[in-house]
Every structure is written in structure tokens, then in C-alpha cells.
């Protein structure tokens, strides 16, 4: 990707290839005048309400992140500002896989959906959009304790083991969110996608590490409160960007519970308002809870239980031997002794070997294209573990280049062959390669035979870690998980294009202070041809109210909107909230000096 745009931002420039594949152009010019009006309406509502209930840095955080109430943010401006606090931002197409999302956080890069919600989803959208991502996540990034939590969460989350069901769930959620934000979609198609999602989510089985971490992420990064149970403040981006839920969440009927390790037991539904929310006394507590959970994960525990998680995943993951050797592939088998120790591991299909997250030369997925298998454990009747044998020690065992050697493991696995190569790293023996090699189990079952080629035997007493994905992701080329379902691009009919023009005219009049004599004809066209619209009329009312230039037209529009609020329930709150902001203007953000 030679044309990769890093926005002159240090964090974005560091992104590896496998993360760059998700980045799309923002295409700022695609935002319509209605999109800009939706942004302005939501941000004015947020500012009006959140200055009372948001955790303190939110308002000045808007500026620190390069955001304005008036306009959808431009990615370059955001990167210029976020760069000053060691973060960056990129735009992507809707939902991306959770592991990739986590890894972006570890690289201290905000992932922002390039699209913006439609006006008919102005209060809340299940799809990621630029309001949620930038107005929700970005302002709080300025808080050092919080952004440390976010990047640490990312580094833990990127290692979390999936279940194969998680992949199905991700695609189902992505599909539904795309359909809900697309225009002119058959209701039956949405209902079918909802039914599919419901079926998958009700049949997930035991939650995976990623599913459990997803809960911790949801109840903190998306829906978290901070402070006391009696007087909490909002810091979660889902609440900060939902003008509906940021108000209702403070209602006493929404239970407030302390955030601790038990929060992992609370699942969530992205399509519903939350029945309870969790309050943390400090951001440090978030890190403490995350640390306690990380101690239960396969990447820290290793062993048979962790390899079994890799097998269930059915996607590439990595097992790490105690010697430091890393084996990446799709795991399909594991040998387990009577006392639950791993005795061998096996992958199928393209597999690769690495050390310290760098692929070993000559051991790419193309070389090990048919899989990899190797014993794990100590040699029989030899106290010193094999990885701690130096070249002299190995020679004393009869293992040196050109020798025909026999190694018998405590598990009974026997390796017979001519030593071709010994690889050592950091004073450890990590791999012994054999020619003319036979590998068999104690019961005589053949695991490898000479005609299959050379045998690369991994060395290590234990499997000490198992994590999601490849050890050397770029060498392994994990470029397979970009969903082929793209968000729908909207084609506008002539009537909608004309409505865009009216919105633009109103914005131009507001910003220039000129052409107010045209507001009457614009309103006349709105009420004749666009009876469903309420936001453009509200913006005209705002201009008239603040300039006091045409009291009779102001009165006519107010009555028109009051009638609409009374008769069309879906607009009641939106219009009344609009009246409130007109009466209590919030156009000026307080300028904060750094």
C-alpha cells in the first residue's frame, strides 16, 4: 500500500499491513447538507445535556480531539489534534472484526466508521457511525488514565481467543447493522436478519475469551459510568453519542452497580437500552479488573485447556513453547497426558514458525503448507529439559549435525532420524530438523514417516501461551478477515437532492447572516413537498428566533412544529429537545487553553 495516507500522524504511520487493509477513504464530500445538519443537531443536544452529566474532560476534550459542534470532523484535522496526545484516527467501513478493533486500540489509533447515521436514526443507531466514534470516543482520549486503559485493553483483546461462533455472530451483527442503515430495504429482509442474529446469539454455547472481554469493553468503553453510585458521570462512548440514552441512563430505574470482575457475567444486547450500568470509582480500577481477567486467559495460562480453545476457534492461532518457539496455524489435535500435560500439538493447512513474533527464515506458511505437528515435553529419564541443552549437551545425547539420533519423550513419542539442523535462540534450543525421520507414539501409531520430507521438531517442555491470530501477522499475511458485505452506498432521487439544497441554503443564511428574506419561501416548499421533515424547519426557527427579524413567520413555524410534535410521536422528543436548545443556545464552545 504505497499510497497509504498516514495523515502525517506517528501512530497511524506505525500501523502494520494487516490493519491497514480495513482503512477506507473518508470521502468528506459525500456528506450531504442533511448529514451535516444531523451532526450539528446531535452535537448541540449532547453539549446542552452532557455538560451536566459527562465526566469532566468531555467538553474540552471535543476541542482537544479537533471536533466542532458545527461540522462533521475531517480526519486530517482530528489526526493533527490527536497526534498531540499520542493518538491517531482512521476511517473504516462499518463494523470490523473485534480482534482488529482491539489491535488498533493497542496501536493508539481510533477506528472511526466513515458513514453517519440517517436522520430517521438520529437518536441511536446499532451501526457504528462517525457521531458515535468521534463524538463518543475521541473527547475522552485526552484523559491520560483513560487512554492508557484503552490501549492496554487493546493489547489484551488482540490476544483473546475466539470461538468459531464469534465469527458467525460478527457477520450477523454486521449484516443487520448495514441493512438497518440502508435506505429502501425490504422490512422482511431486516426481520430475517434479526431472526438469524437472534438464533446465533441464543446458541453461542460457553462464551469465549473474546465474548467475555467484549462484555468488559461494553460496560466500560461503551456504556461506562465513573464516580459514585448516587452521582455517577458518563464516560462511555455509547452513552456520550446517544442523545436518547444519555438522558434516560440517569433515570433511577436503570440500576447502577459497582464495576468489578463479576461484571463479566452480564451479557448485553446492542439493539436494546441497557437494564443496568456499571460505575467505576476510578479509571485505575478498570485496569485492575482487566488485569484480573487477563490472568484467566489462554495467552497467560497456556497448557492443554488453552490448546483446546485454539482447536475450537477453527481459525489461525498461535501456541508458544517454553523455549520461545511460536507455532501458528489452525490447530486440530492435541495429545494430553494422564496429569493433563500437553504431549503433542498438531495444525492442519498453512502453518508457520516464529520466535519473538518474527517468522523463522525458511519456516513460512508456504513451507509448512500441509500443517505442522510436534511433541511437547521432557525426554524420558533425562532431568534437564531439552530446550536447556546447549550444543555440547546435545552432542552428549548423540544429537549433532549429521548424526542419526533417537529421542524418546516421557509421553512415549519416539523420534528417529538424521539431524539436519539445530536452531537456537536466546540460549535455548528451539528446533531440531531431521532427515529420513520416523515419529511414532508408544502404541506404534505413526505420526510422521521419511517419505513425507524433512521433519522439523519443535523443542519445549510446555505450551506456555496460546493466543488468537499469527505470531508474525504481516509475514503470515492475515489479510483474510475483511468482510465481503460492504455498507450500502445511497443513491439520491431528485426530490431528496432538492431537500439537500434547501438544507444548504438554510446553513448558508445562518452562517453568512444574509438572505433571510428567502426563509419564508424555503419553509413554504418544506411544508408543501417535505411533510416528513422537521429538522430543516427547526433550523429556520433557530435563525428567526436569534435574529428576531420576522416574528410572524417565527410564530407560524413554531406552531407547525408543535403540531408535528403533538401528532407524530416519533418526532415529539426530537422537536421539543430542539426547542430547548434554541431557547438555551450552545453555539460557543468554551475555548480552553492547553
Amino acid at each position: 500500500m504505497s499510497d497509504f495516507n498516514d495523515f502525517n500522524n506517528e501512530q497511524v504511520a506505525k500501523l502494520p499491513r494487516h490493519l491497514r487493509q480495513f482503512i477506507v477513504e473518508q470521502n468528506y464530500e459525500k456528506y450531504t447538507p442533511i448529514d451535516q445538519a444531523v451532526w450539528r443537531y446531535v452535537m448541540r443536544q449532547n453539549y446542552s445535556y452532557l455538560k451536566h452529566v459527562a465526566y469532566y474532560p468531555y467538553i474540552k476534550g471535543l476541542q482537544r480531539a479537533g471536533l466542532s459542534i458545527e461540522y462533521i470532523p475531517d480526519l486530517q484535522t482530528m489526526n493533527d489534534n490527536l497526534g498531540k496526545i499520542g493518538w491517531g484516527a482512521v476511517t473504516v467501513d462499518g463494523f470490523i472484526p473485534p480482534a482488529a478493533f482491539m489491535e488498533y486500540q493497542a496501536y493508539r489509533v481510533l477506528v472511526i466508521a466513515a458513514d453517519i447515521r440517517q436522520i430517521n436514526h438520529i437518536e441511536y443507531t446499532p451501526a457504528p457511525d462517525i457521531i458515535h466514534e468521534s463524538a463518543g470516543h475521541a473527547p475522552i482520549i485526552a484523559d491520560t488514565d483513560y487512554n492508557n486503559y484503552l490501549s492496554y485493553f487493546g493489547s489484551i483483546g488482540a490476544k483473546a481467543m475466539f470461538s468459531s461462533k464469534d465469527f458467525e455472530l460478527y457477520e450477523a451483527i454486521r449484516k443487520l447493522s448495514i441493512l438497518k442503515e440502508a435506505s429502501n430495504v425490504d422490512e422482511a429482509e431486516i426481520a430475517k436478519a434479526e431472526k438469524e442474529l437472534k438464533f446465533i446469539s441464543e446458541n453461542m454455547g460457553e462464551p469465549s475469551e473474546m465474548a467475555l472481554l467484549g462484555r468488559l469493553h461494553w460496560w466500560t468503553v461503551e456504556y461506562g459510568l465513573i464516580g459514585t453510585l448516587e452521582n455517577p458521570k458518563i464516560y462511555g462512548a455509547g452513552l456520550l453519542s446517544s442523545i436518547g440514552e444519555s438522558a434516560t441512563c440517569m433515570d433511577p430505574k436503570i440500576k447502577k452497580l459497582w464495576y468489578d470482575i463479576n461484571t463479566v457475567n452480564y451479557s448485553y444486547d446492542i439493539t436494546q437500552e441497557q437494564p443496568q450500568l456499571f460505575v467505576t470509582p476510578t479509571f485505575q480500577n478498570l485496569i485492575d479488573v482487566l488485569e484480573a481477567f487477563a490472568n484467566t486467559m489462554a495467552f497467560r495460562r497456556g497448557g492443554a485447556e488453552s490448546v483446546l480453545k485454539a482447536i475450537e476457534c477453527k481459525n489461525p492461532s498461535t501456541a508458544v513453547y517454553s523455549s520461545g518457539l511460536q507455532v501458528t496455524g489452525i490447530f486440530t489435535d492435541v495429545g494430553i497426558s494422564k496429569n493433563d500435560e500437553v504431549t503433542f500439538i498438531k495444525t492442519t493447512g498453512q502453518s508457520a514458525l516464529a520466535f519473538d513474533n518474527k517468522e523463522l527464515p525458511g519456516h513460512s506458511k508456504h513451507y509448512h503448507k500441509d500443517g505442522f505437528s510436534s511433541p511437547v515435553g521432557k525426554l524420558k529419564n533425562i532431568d534437564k529439559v531439552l530446550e536447556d541443552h546447549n550444543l555440547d549437551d546435545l552432542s552428549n545425547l548423540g544429537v549433532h549435525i549429521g548424526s542419526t539420533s533417537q529421542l524418546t519423550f516421557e509421553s512415549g513419542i519416539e523420534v528417529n532420524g538424521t539431524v539436519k539442523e539445530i536452531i537456537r535462540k536466546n540460549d535455548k534450543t528451539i528446533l531440531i530438523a531431521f532427515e529420513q525421520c520416523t515419529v511414532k507414539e508408544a502404541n506404534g501409531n505413526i505420526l510422521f514417516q521419511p517419505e513425507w520430507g524433512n521433519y522439523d521438531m519443535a523443542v519445549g517442555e510446555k505450551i506456555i501461551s496460546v493466543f488468537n491470530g499469527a505470531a508474525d501477522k504481516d509475514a503470515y499475511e492475515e489479510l483474510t478477515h475483511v468482510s465481503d458485505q460492504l455498507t450500502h452506498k445511497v443513491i439520491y432521487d431528485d426530490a431528496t437532492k432538492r431537500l439537500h439544497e434547501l438544507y444548504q441554503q438554510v446553513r448558508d443564511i445562518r452562517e453568512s447572516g444574509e438572505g433571510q428574506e428567502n426563509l419564508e419561501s424555503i419553509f413554504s416548499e418544506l411544508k408543501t413537498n417535505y411533510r416528513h421533515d422537521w429538522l430543516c424547519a427547526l433550523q429556520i426557527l433557530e435563525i428567526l428566533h436569534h435574529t428576531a427579524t420576522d416574528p410572524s413567520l417565527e410564530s407560524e413555524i413554531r406552531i407547525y412544529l408543535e403540531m408535528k410534535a403533538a401528532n407524530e410521536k416519533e418526532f415529539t422528543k426530537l422537536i421539543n429537545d430542539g426547542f430547548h436548545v434554541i431557547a438555551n443556545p450552545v453555539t460557543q464552545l468554551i475555548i480552553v487553553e492547553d
Side-chain angles (χ1 to χ4, degrees), residues 139-200:
I140 202 85
I141 291 280
D143 185 282
T144 307
D145 287 345
Y146 181 73
N147 73 44
N148 284 340
Y149 168 67
L150 211 53
S151 60
Y152 186 52
F153 199 113
S155 63
I156 303 281
K159 292 186 167 74
M161 292 303 299
F162 278 90
S163 74
S164 47
K165 293 276 189 193
D166 290 330
F167 286 97
E168 289 178 39
L169 185 68
Y170 157 68
E171 283 291 355
I173 288 172
R174 181 177 164 88
K175 182 178 177 183
L176 178 61
S177 73
I178 290 169
L179 288 174
K180 283 199 163 184
E181 274 298 312
S183 51
N184 307 321
V185 173
D186 183 0
E187 287 299 321
E189 206 180 334
I190 291 178
K192 183 171 172 242
E194 282 177 334
K195 199 171 166 186
E196 281 170 10
L197 175 58
K198 189 168 190 287
F199 178 79
I200 293 168

Side-chain angles (χ1 to χ4, degrees), residues 16 19 25 46 88 149 164 196 236 251 254 338 383 440 447 460 471 476 569 584 594:
L19 290 181
E25 290 283 334
N46 278 354
Y149 168 67
S164 47
E196 281 170 10
D251 191 308
I254 308 278
K338 290 192 183 73
D383 288 336
K440 58 184 180 184
L447 297 174
Y476 194 78
K569 289 286 173 256
N584 304 273
D594 276 351

Side-chain angles (χ1 to χ4, degrees), residues 75 91 231 254 351 360 421 465 498:
L75 214 56
T91 39
N231 184 29
I254 308 278
S351 304
L360 291 180
E421 186 184 16
S465 176
R498 175 60 187 156

Side-chain angles (χ1 to χ4, degrees), residues 100-377:
F101 181 85
M102 294 290 179
E103 218 181 332
Y104 274 107
Q105 275 184 205
Y107 276 95
R108 302 175 92 87
V109 173
L110 274 184
V111 177
I112 295 173
D115 291 333
I116 186 165
R117 66 194 65 180
Q118 293 182 59
I119 191 166
N120 54 332
H121 295 152
I122 195 165
E123 288 192 276
Y124 171 78
T125 171
D129 82 326
I130 195 161
I131 293 179
H132 169 81
E133 311 286 353
S134 51
H137 288 288
I140 202 85
I141 291 280
D143 185 282
T144 307
D145 287 345
Y146 181 73
N147 73 44
N148 284 340
Y149 168 67
L150 211 53
S151 60
Y152 186 52
F153 199 113
S155 63
I156 303 281
K159 292 186 167 74
M161 292 303 299
F162 278 90
S163 74
S164 47
K165 293 276 189 193
D166 290 330
F167 286 97
E168 289 178 39
L169 185 68
Y170 157 68
E171 283 291 355
I173 288 172
R174 181 177 164 88
K175 182 178 177 183
L176 178 61
S177 73
I178 290 169
L179 288 174
K180 283 199 163 184
E181 274 298 312
S183 51
N184 307 321
V185 173
D186 183 0
E187 287 299 321
E189 206 180 334
I190 291 178
K192 183 171 172 242
E194 282 177 334
K195 199 171 166 186
E196 281 170 10
L197 175 58
K198 189 168 190 287
F199 178 79
I200 293 168
S201 55
E202 285 174 357
N203 292 279
M204 291 292 288
E206 275 297 296
S208 67
E209 288 178 357
M210 184 55 95
L212 294 172
L213 262 180
R215 293 176 184 179
L216 296 184
H217 198 267
W218 183 263
W219 298 123
T220 60
V221 175
E222 296 296 352
Y223 278 82
L225 301 173
I226 186 167
T228 63
L229 294 182
E230 300 69 36
N231 184 29
K233 296 282 187 248
I234 297 172
Y235 72 89
L239 293 173
L240 291 174
S241 61
S242 164
I243 52 179
E245 215 164 347
S246 58
T248 56
C249 77
M250 290 303 175
D251 191 308
K253 76 172 187 291
I254 308 278
K255 273 189 303 192
K256 312 293 187 296
L257 306 170
W258 283 117
Y259 179 74
D260 58 25
I261 192 66
N262 296 315
T263 305
V264 85
N265 299 318
Y266 289 79
S267 58
Y268 60 88
D269 179 344
I270 69 163
T271 64
Q272 304 295 321
E273 287 200 353
Q274 312 312 313
Q276 78 281 310
L277 293 170
F278 294 87
V279 184
T280 185
T282 61
F283 286 140
Q284 182 56 44
N285 179 54
L286 302 185
I287 292 177
D288 295 344
V289 170
L290 179 60
E291 191 58 21
F293 182 75
N295 285 335
T296 71
M297 290 170 64
F299 85 96
R300 286 199 180 160
R301 289 175 72 95
E305 171 197 1
S306 301
V307 180
L308 289 169
K309 285 182 182 178
I311 292 171
E312 204 293 309
C313 176
K314 301 185 175 69
N315 277 270
S317 38
T318 298
V320 186
Y321 277 78
S322 44
S323 63
L325 181 72
Q326 297 165 310
V327 179
T328 295
I330 296 175
F331 285 82
T332 50
D333 200 2
V334 60
I336 303 175
S337 70
K338 290 192 183 73
N339 54 353
D340 282 344
E341 295 290 343
V342 178
T343 59
F344 81 92
I345 55 171
K346 181 177 191 302
T347 66
T348 301
Q350 294 188 325
S351 304
L353 305 182
F355 184 85
D356 200 17
N357 299 328
K358 282 280 168 279
E359 188 172 276
L360 291 180
H363 290 279
S364 72
K365 66 178 184 181
H366 305 295
Y367 178 70
H368 296 286
K369 64 181 188 306
D370 300 318
F372 181 86
S373 71
S374 191
V376 181

